[in-house]
């Protein structure tokens, strides 16, 4: 049976790659896309989500969500990484589908309550929609099958500050609520995603196998790859958001540790994620509150990327 998921996203070049996987993989039942600000404004995120689903020839509900962080001032979208349109500033085709009138948190609450114990929430942007859904219905904690978050960094260091990963930094207060809610949670952060590089030859295989969607993925990849070359000196990009889906279907490709998660919400280390390993004792118990999560600390990068390429070459969407 395919796993029913709701994919919470801010597309975003690597989000687009992940959406393509969610649309293509036969073992995933994509119930809907919920959108948030982050890589782009929430309006652009919704536009891109609608476009990508329509290009794949699928009628996937899209519900718009958070326009900004819960508490802090919103950072400007990173146009130098994803392009001002979120897809590498390439020209985008017209489309006709429209977002739901229901908000992202309302959609999440309704879907999870309709199928208690079944749905996995996969969140690959700032976490305001999940935090708002929890506020609307705290019983979600016991009704989701699991929450998989692409975000954070434990030992790898940050990508937007020396210690913070972008999704957590963009809304640390929401992240604190989501990472400490006590639901079954897996964190797929930079400790794993920085081990994975989607190289140009792999991208060419994807483009060759896919139609209009592949064209968008390939062209936007060119812009994103240039950023990675400048920032990390690598030839390719880290397909962060797709890694969350790879973990869902191939957890054996990751090394995980169990630990209690905290988020620094203020000050110089704002957005830092801290993991207190399960069963370690510290000077007091403040880092070890709540329920431990599964935290990805490493990945078999080559195998993860090959899984992504195989998924997108073996399952062409339109
Ligand atoms: C995360 O931040 C965004 O730029 C990417 O889409 C990904 O979700 C990586 O830090
Ligand atoms: Ca993202």
């Amino acid at each position: 049976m395919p796993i029913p998921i709701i994919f919470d996203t801010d597309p975003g070049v690597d989000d687009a790659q992940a959406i393509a996987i969610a649309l293509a993989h036969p073992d995933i039942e994509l119930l809907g896309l919920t959108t948030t600000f982050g890589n782009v404004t929430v309006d652009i995120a919704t536009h891109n989500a609608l476009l990508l689903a329509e290009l794949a020839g699928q009628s996937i509900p899209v519900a718009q969500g958070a326009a900004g962080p819960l508490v802090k001032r919103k950072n400007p979208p990173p146009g130098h990484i994803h392009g001002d349109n979120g897809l590498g500033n390439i020209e985008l085709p017209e489309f006709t589908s429209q977002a739901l009138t229901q908000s992202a948190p309302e959609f999440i609450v309704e879907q999870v309550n309709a199928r208690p114990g079944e749905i996995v929430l996969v969140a690959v942007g700032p976490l305001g929609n999940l935090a708002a859904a929890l506020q609307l219905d705290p019983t979600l904690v016991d009704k989701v099958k699991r929450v998989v978050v692409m975000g954070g960094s434990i030992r790898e260091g940050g990508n937007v500050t020396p210690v913070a990963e972008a999704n957590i930094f963009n809304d640390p207060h929401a992240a604190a609520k989501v990472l400490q809610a006590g639901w079954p949670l897996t964190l797929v952060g930079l400790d794993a995603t920085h081990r994975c590089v989607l190289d140009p030859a792999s991208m060419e295989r994807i483009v060759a196998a896919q139609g209009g969607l592949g064209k968008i993925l390939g062209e936007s990849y060119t812009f994103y790859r240039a950023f990675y070359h400048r920032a990390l000196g690598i030839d390719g990009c880290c397909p962060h958001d797709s890694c969350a889906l790879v973990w869902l279907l191939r957890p054996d490709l990751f090394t995980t540790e169990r630990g209690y998660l905290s988020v620094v919400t203020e000050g110089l280390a704002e957005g830092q994620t801290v993991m207190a390993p399960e069963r370690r004792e510290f000077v007091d118990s403040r880092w070890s509150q709540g329920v431990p999560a599964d935290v990805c600390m490493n990945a078999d990068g080559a195998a993860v990327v090959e899984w992504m390429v195989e998924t997108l070459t073996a399952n062409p969407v339109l």
Side-chain angles (χ1 to χ4, degrees):
M1 282 291 283
I3 301 173
I5 72 164
I6 296 173
F7 196 74
D8 189 63
T9 177
D10 57 338
V13 178
D14 64 318
D15 300 73
Q17 296 163 0
I19 290 170
I21 290 174
L23 289 162
H25 204 292
D27 294 340
I28 292 175
E29 179 189 2
L30 182 58
L31 299 176
L33 297 167
T34 50
T35 61
T36 169
F37 83 98
N39 293 326
V40 285
T41 66
V42 71
D43 288 340
I44 296 178
T46 302
H47 170 280
N48 293 347
L50 289 165
L51 168 68
L52 293 162
E54 190 167 304
L55 278 174
Q58 296 185 33
S59 173
I60 303 291
V62 175
Q64 180 157 308
L70 288 185
V71 176
K72 73 184 276 187
R73 272 232 325 261
K74 187 171 148 188
N75 302 306
H80 62 297
I81 303 177
H82 294 271
D84 293 333
N85 71 356
L87 294 171
N89 291 337
I90 62 171
E91 201 175 315
L92 297 171
E94 299 290 322
F95 63 91
T96 56
S97 41
Q98 290 191 341
L100 302 176
T101 50
Q102 204 176 26
S103 73
E106 288 166 349
F107 179 80
I108 292 169
V109 168
E110 183 191 85
Q111 294 289 316
V112 172
N113 276 292
R115 296 173 73 170
E118 289 183 37
I119 295 177
V120 177
L121 305 178
V122 182
V124 301
L127 292 165
N129 291 336
L130 270 59
L134 268 177
Q135 189 163 7
L136 274 180
D137 183 354
T139 72
L140 290 189
V141 166
D142 301 314
K143 292 181 181 159
V144 293
K145 183 165 187 202
R146 178 160 286 270
V147 177
V148 183
V149 171
M150 188 283 125
S153 176
I154 306 303
R155 298 189 192 125
E156 176 70 6
N159 57 0
V160 284
T161 83
V163 294
E165 181 280 329
N167 290 336
I168 307 298
F169 182 75
N170 278 334
D171 196 344
H173 297 85
K177 288 181 193 298
V178 171
L179 299 190
Q180 298 194 314
W183 44 18
L185 185 133
T186 302
L187 193 74
V188 185
L190 301 182
D191 303 275
T193 66
H194 273 178
R195 307 286 81 76
C196 308
V197 178
L198 181 60
D199 57 279
S202 298
M203 195 65 214
E204 272 172 35
R205 287 168 61 199
I206 293 170
V207 174
Q210 297 286 348
L213 184 58
K215 186 168 179 292
I216 304 265
L217 297 186
E219 290 176 359
S220 60
Y221 169 85
T222 303
F223 188 95
Y224 198 50
R225 174 186 168 196
F227 164 75
Y228 272 92
H229 192 255
R230 290 195 305 275
L232 298 184
I234 58 175
D235 190 14
C237 70
C238 296
H240 302 280
D241 294 346
S242 300
C243 291
L245 294 174
V246 184
W247 182 85
L248 186 64
L249 296 180
R250 289 293 308 273
D252 56 302
L253 300 181
F254 296 81
T255 308
T256 54
E257 291 181 23
R258 298 269 298 166
Y260 301 89
L261 292 169
S262 318
V263 179
V264 180
T265 52
E266 317 281 341
L268 204 59
E270 176 191 12
Q272 182 174 15
T273 41
V274 178
M275 180 188 69
E278 202 178 27
R279 286 187 283 275
R280 276 276 306 274
E281 281 187 18
F282 295 98
V283 63
D284 66 48
S285 60
R286 90 181 91 141
W287 293 274
S288 308
Q289 300 294 318
V291 175
D294 294 303
V295 183
C296 293
M297 299 305 297
N298 205 345
D300 179 345
V304 167
V305 170
E306 186 54 28
W307 184 95
M308 293 172 190
V309 176
E310 274 172 18
T311 295
L312 287 173
T313 49
N315 304 287
V317 293
L318 279 185

